[in-house]
Amino acid sequence: MAEFNLETYLESIPECKGNMNKNQQKKLDTHPDMRGYVRVQGQIYEIAGWVKENNGKKRLSISLKPYQVAPPSPPAPVTPKAKYSDDDMPF
């Protein structure tokens, strides 16, 4: 099976379309029940949904935020090599 590539998938979403799936990473009640992506006017948005119940009726509350590619993590700092003087040498 081919490895999933999020960027390739996002490019394939047609205008005014998207999807939401069950949030597999939900740990708290405040986390969304569903997550996904949608394209509106050429811009990709992350969509999150919470299933709510009021007076015995279920509804879906959603929020959108512009999708942003995570910046690459900064490289590890380089530790300079210690400099020794002639006085530090035992010979």
Side-chain angles (χ1 to χ4, degrees), residues 13-48:
I13 298 174
E15 185 64 30
C16 295
K17 302 272 184 189
N19 69 50
M20 292 177 68
N21 297 300
K22 183 176 180 180
N23 183 4
Q24 301 294 332
Q25 299 167 343
K26 180 174 177 156
K27 295 190 179 10
L28 302 173
D29 287 340
T30 56
H31 292 171
D33 297 305
M34 304 177 83
R35 299 189 68 125
Y37 301 93
V38 63
R39 180 184 301 270
V40 179
Q41 295 182 347
Q43 173 73 37
I44 297 291
Y45 291 88
E46 292 182 63
I47 184 170

